[in-house]
Amino acid sequence: MNGRRIAFRNARLIDPASGLDAKGGLLVENGRIADVGPRLFNNADKNDPEIIDCRGLVLAPGLIDCRVFTGEPGSEHRETLQSASEAAAAGGVTTIVTMPNTDPVIDEPSLVDFIKRRAAATAKVRVAPMAALTRKLAGEVMTEIGLLQEAGAVAFTDGDRTVANARVMRRALAYAGTFGALVVGHAEDPELTEGAAMTEGEFATRMGLPAAPALAEAIIVERDIRLVELTGARYHFGQISTRASLEAIAAAKARGLPITCGVSAHHLVLNELDVGTYYTFRKVKPPLRSEADRAAMMEGVASGIIDVIVSGHEPQGADTKRQPFGAAAFGSVGLETLLPVALCLHHEGHASLSHVLKALTATPARILGLPAGTLAKGAPADLVLLDEAEPFVVDERKLHSRAHNSAFEGRKFQGRPRMTFVGGECVYNAG
Amino acid sequence: MTSASAAPILRSSHLLGIEGLSAPEATALLDLAETYVALNRSPEKKTALLKGRTLINLFFEASTRTQSSFELAGKRMGADVLNMSVKTSSVSKGETLIDTAATLSAMRPDILVMRHYDSGAAELLSRKLECSVVNAGDGSHEHPTQALLDALTIRRRRGGFNNLTVAICGDILHSRVARSNIRLLSMMGARVRLVAPASLLPAQADLFGVEIFTDMKMGLAGADIVMMLRLQLERMAGAFVPSSREYFRFYGLDREKLGYANPGALVMHPGPMNRGVEIASDIADDLNVSLISEQVEMGVAIRMAVLDALARGMK
């Protein structure tokens, strides 16, 4: 193949993997990063390849979103891999890590293969599927972790379900450890949170909504930390939302346990009060927490105890969201707001731009063992060109996702992608 | 010559496990078993060493080869052999193990061979009965005659145990065969490795002084003997292992994995085998590498040696 060459010049290069944050240029060849550096393409040359003048905007690795629910297979009316990839591209996300909570559940090697083939045929961005940890997500019988891994599953999770049975979890962790597989857990005690729509507290009490105590999360976090200590498995908490969880994980990391964790964008900038008058787009799982817990999430990302920021993208339709709050489905779309929400950490002075981007690129790549998330020579040319300062208002009518249930509808943010590249191909251009 | 007048071999009047057995005792049993291998290959297979003695086989778990091996061993030694099948005994009517033992004791047996699903059952019986007790497998604890017959098989093929690496592969967690073999082979000077997914390894398995591998290819590299264990069907339904096809893919012995072992490596299995789960048929049936039939033959000889040795201590 005759390699297509693209030269990015006049960029602010940020590569959190290497710590690079400098003006310079980048050369793409054959879909990979061929060269990168401060003096590259300083002066335009008629022999240069196709040139993109970045005009001082940030050129960074494309985002890796570790927590994306799609509707394919089974709920294609909400979201397909194709429509999710459109939203991802518009959000600067070049790899979506899909959750196995589909119909059928991704618990068979052939279904992992299906996702990969559908993604290759229809999606604009890379799709890295997670497979179920237990069959049918029932929390009873572990899946074929070895065969699923060979089929291409990047991690094992029951998505937004907690494996309630500690014996099952213990054996699944031990077995996963045998294959060096990453287990991604969801921390909500299923019995304590049964039927709950909110976090317990004054607000839920005033609203008269069924609520569960926030410690339902820390109970499972503490349990799973102990099980990791017993089994030695690699474990990632898909998303945490409370200070108690953060402190438990900080202590576990200090003890050297192979544990990492993520936080959803909405838990960084929204709290329980944002539910307002029963606003179902802000009904998420786990529920929005107290302001103190929200602030702890910002601190957690800034300190690095929280490793990654995820969208928790969960498309829902009018059928599931236009309901009384208690009956409405959980979830918010988030692929297109992940970057702007995460940038709040930077704009509010909690963390450097590079630190924020690291939690969206290099760190998820390292945890999942993906080759992306870096501007290193030879890496896939998955790139986002972003304007960190551009203000905008989230408008559901402009979302690319098939579902429009954004918890951030009408919110103002600063910073969004201008262009997105996957393997050197432009998949999004804001114009 | 009567057995009672021959040189004593065992200090104990029971064989409850490899633990408690010394290396000289084990070696003496293997040596004695060699004479029974020869006897069993001759047309006249009987001795009268246990003439007049009574042996009771009490099996609380179904077993074809161990029970028939003990039965044949007892008969060839000249003893009267009674097989107590639990299905037709009063145990199935709710009698406790101790009461069953007391009843049997009153019948004045000389040797009681017992298999039981609870670890420690043979030990319990030995404290309650006058006669010698042979443990034919108790729970996940010990199966001493299996280890001895495995050792005899190995010694006959390899001449000894020094510088020999034995990889025991499979369901270590639940295996009494593994525990007895680990103890015996280590004591005799072999290097023992365990190969299993972490979900089938007991806690602190390395306490036995063995090496642990969760990757079978790495575990087999450099092995002279590959000892496969049976994976109970109910344990591959997801509780310990997700499926039999995944188990075979990563822990079943096939040509590719065996290729990592030393050239000329030999394969053992205590039986009964799950073909296509823990072992590929072409290996199980390959007489150049499989010692499986030989193990069964050695089983009878070892059990005759054990009965002989126990009889030597009897009044």
Side-chain angles (χ1 to χ4, degrees):
Chain A
M1 188 180 94
N2 213 348
R4 186 160 155 250
R5 291 157 57 95
I6 311 168
F8 292 86
R9 63 181 297 269
N10 195 19
R12 177 183 169 192
L13 300 165
I14 297 185
D15 183 17
S18 67
L20 173 74
D21 184 349
K23 288 213 171 304
L26 182 143
L27 175 66
V28 172
E29 234 171 39
N30 296 323
R32 294 190 170 271
I33 295 168
D35 202 359
V36 60
R39 275 182 295 279
L40 210 56
F41 312 120
N42 260 3
N43 302 304
D45 184 318
K46 64 177 167 39
N47 295 324
D48 281 345
E50 181 183 342
I51 291 172
I52 293 172
D53 187 339
C54 301
R55 289 174 298 184
L57 296 181
V58 172
L59 185 64
L63 276 46
I64 297 168
D65 188 344
C66 292
R67 193 173 181 83
V68 176
F69 296 87
T70 78
E72 188 169 354
S75 300
E76 286 82 355
H77 61 290
R78 283 183 204 141
E79 193 87 287
T80 59
L81 289 165
Q82 194 272 334
S83 67
S85 79
E86 296 277 354
V93 175
T94 52
T95 300
I96 57 175
V97 181
T98 54
M99 306 304 276
N101 308 48
T102 49
D103 182 14
V105 169
I106 309 303
D107 61 0
E108 276 274 329
S110 59
L111 292 168
V112 173
D113 191 54
F114 167 80
I115 297 286
K116 289 181 72 90
R117 282 187 292 110
R118 281 296 289 171
T122 65
K124 286 179 143 183
V125 303
R126 295 180 204 278
V127 174
M130 287 195 198
L133 181 64
T134 68
R135 288 191 192 214
K136 311 238 175 287
L137 310 175
E140 289 162 7
V141 174
M142 69 172 94
T143 52
E144 295 169 311
I145 289 171
L147 296 173
L148 288 161
Q149 196 174 46
E150 285 190 340
V154 295
F156 298 85
T157 183
D158 279 1
D160 60 0
R161 295 207 199 173
T162 299
V163 175
N165 185 324
R167 174 168 42 84
V168 171
M169 193 61 173
R170 181 250 175 118
R171 286 189 188 138
L173 283 172
Y175 192 76
T178 298
F179 292 90
L182 178 72
V183 171
V184 177
H186 179 76
E188 272 190 298
D189 185 285
E191 297 295 332
L192 261 181
T193 56
E194 172 78 37
M198 288 280 291
T199 257
E200 246 174 47
E202 188 194 320
F203 185 69
T205 300
R206 276 198 286 117
M207 302 299 280
L209 285 169
L215 58 80
E217 180 175 291
I219 285 175
I220 298 298
V221 168
E222 300 266 13
R223 181 199 75 172
D224 285 357
I225 287 170
R226 298 288 171 187
L227 291 175
V228 167
E229 197 161 18
L230 178 70
T231 57
R234 290 169 57 222
Y235 190 105
H236 177 77
F237 289 101
Q239 45 167 0
I240 61 165
S241 61
T242 70
R243 180 177 291 281
S245 304
L246 183 70
E247 286 170 357
I249 290 166
K253 286 185 163 190
R255 295 212 303 280
L257 296 177
I259 288 175
T260 52
C261 69
V263 64
S264 286
H266 40 259
H267 287 120
L268 282 174
V269 295
L270 301 177
N271 68 26
E272 57 186 338
L273 302 180
D274 288 307
V275 166
T277 49
Y278 305 101
Y279 187 34
T280 61
F281 282 11
R282 292 187 182 151
K283 181 179 178 183
V284 289
K285 188 172 159 66
L288 295 176
R289 302 296 191 186
S290 69
E291 174 57 17
D293 279 334
R294 185 204 66 82
M297 295 303 98
M298 296 291 261
E299 273 173 43
V301 176
S303 70
I305 297 297
I306 295 177
D307 302 90
V308 303
I309 306 170
V310 300
S311 71
H313 183 84
E314 193 162 355
Q316 296 290 352
D319 53 328
T320 49
K321 278 294 189 185
R322 203 172 295 152
Q323 297 265 8
F325 195 87
F330 293 98
S332 164
V333 292
L335 277 164
E336 289 163 81
T337 44
L338 173 61
L339 179 63
V341 174
L343 287 175
C344 292
L345 278 153
H346 169 57
H347 295 311
E348 293 176 18
H350 296 284
S352 71
L353 189 53
S354 180
H355 184 87
V356 173
L357 290 174
K358 188 174 186 178
L360 295 162
T361 58
T363 306
R366 176 177 55 79
I367 292 170
L368 292 165
L370 302 174
T374 169
L375 297 184
K377 277 186 207 175
D382 296 357
L383 304 166
V384 60
L385 182 66
L386 66 100
D387 181 342
E388 62 167 295
E390 184 189 343
F392 74 103
V393 177
V394 177
D395 179 352
E396 66 166 56
R397 289 164 303 179
K398 292 181 182 163
L399 294 177
H400 294 71
S401 177
R402 188 166 287 183
H404 294 160
N405 56 307
S406 172
F408 304 108
E409 168 67 12
R411 299 267 301 203
K412 294 169 191 154
F413 290 102
Q414 218 185 331
R416 62 198 300 193
R418 303 303 310 168
M419 296 179 88
T420 307
F421 297 83
V422 175
E425 296 293 325
C426 181
V427 293
Y428 174 75
N429 189 344
Chain B
M1 184 182 86
T2 67
S3 63
S5 65
I9 287 178
L10 299 174
R11 289 164 299 167
S12 170
S13 56
H14 309 289
L15 180 65
L16 302 178
I18 299 299
E19 190 163 32
L21 207 64
S22 68
E25 284 176 307
T27 303
L29 279 175
L30 299 185
D31 292 345
L32 184 57
E34 289 286 1
T35 66
Y36 290 113
V37 175
L39 181 72
N40 286 336
R41 288 178 178 179
S42 67
E44 173 56 54
K45 298 177 176 62
K46 275 191 93 129
T47 74
L49 288 176
L50 264 67
K51 190 165 188 298
R53 301 290 188 187
T54 302
L55 183 155
I56 297 182
N57 267 333
L58 179 60
F59 277 64
F60 289 84
E61 278 182 346
S63 158
T64 309
R65 72 187 67 205
T66 306
Q67 185 172 337
S68 52
S69 183
F70 270 109
E71 181 178 353
L72 208 52
K75 286 176 172 168
R76 285 181 182 171
M77 298 299 285
D80 295 314
V81 179
L82 172 71
N83 286 320
M84 284 273 300
S85 172
V86 168
K87 276 200 186 112
T88 57
S89 79
S90 45
V91 173
S92 59
K93 298 175 190 165
E95 191 176 62
T96 67
L97 178 60
I98 297 290
D99 288 341
T100 305
T103 306
L104 292 175
S105 187
M107 296 177 189
R108 296 269 174 201
D110 299 285
I111 299 175
L112 188 110
V113 176
M114 185 175 75
R115 166 165 296 181
H116 197 277
Y117 40 79
D118 279 326
S119 301
E123 166 80 31
L124 178 65
L125 227 59
S126 73
R127 281 189 261 122
K128 298 289 172 190
L129 296 188
E130 298 294 315
C131 69
S132 292
V133 173
V134 177
N135 181 6
D138 63 325
S140 302
H141 177 226
E142 284 239 38
H143 190 354
T145 57
Q146 178 71 45
L148 287 164
L149 76 86
D150 288 339
L152 180 62
T153 309
I154 293 170
R155 196 179 74 166
R156 285 172 62 88
R157 282 299 188 111
R158 288 294 159 95
F161 302 96
N162 287 330
N163 300 319
L164 211 60
T165 298
V166 182
I168 305 177
C169 310
D171 186 1
I172 313 285
L173 179 62
H174 300 98
S175 178
R176 52 195 172 220
V177 174
R179 282 174 181 74
S180 288
N181 262 311
I182 291 165
R183 290 183 171 109
L184 182 59
L185 293 170
S186 304
M187 180 168 74
M188 303 306 276
R191 277 189 303 271
V192 178
R193 295 171 173 182
L194 306 180
V195 180
S199 52
L200 290 177
L201 283 167
Q204 263 109 56
D206 56 340
L207 271 189
F208 289 112
V210 298
E211 281 183 283
I212 311 268
F213 292 86
T214 54
D215 182 308
M216 191 163 183
K217 290 170 182 172
M218 286 166 67
L220 293 195
D224 302 297
I225 304 283
V226 181
M227 191 178 283
M228 300 306 299
L229 299 173
R230 175 181 169 76
L231 182 65
Q232 306 263 7
L233 284 167
E234 65 271 19
R235 286 176 190 142
M236 28 174 149
F240 295 91
V241 169
S243 67
S244 56
R245 70 175 178 185
E246 169 141 326
Y247 189 77
F248 185 72
R249 170 74 182 73
F250 295 100
Y251 294 98
L253 187 65
D254 55 16
R255 288 284 170 197
E256 193 213 344
K257 297 194 196 82
L258 185 57
Y260 286 80
N262 276 345
L266 297 168
V267 175
M268 304 176 76
H269 193 299
M273 286 181 276
N274 291 310
R275 290 168 184 266
V277 176
E278 70 252 359
I279 190 163
S281 275
D282 67 319
I283 290 179
D285 299 335
D286 181 349
L287 295 177
N288 290 318
V289 298
S290 169
L291 301 179
I292 296 170
S293 298
E294 208 167 314
Q295 287 172 273
V296 177
E297 184 189 359
M298 295 307 124
V300 180
I302 271 293
R303 283 157 188 141
M304 290 168 80
V306 167
L307 297 180
D308 182 346
L310 289 173
R312 292 179 192 205
M314 290 176 188
K315 295 203 173 71

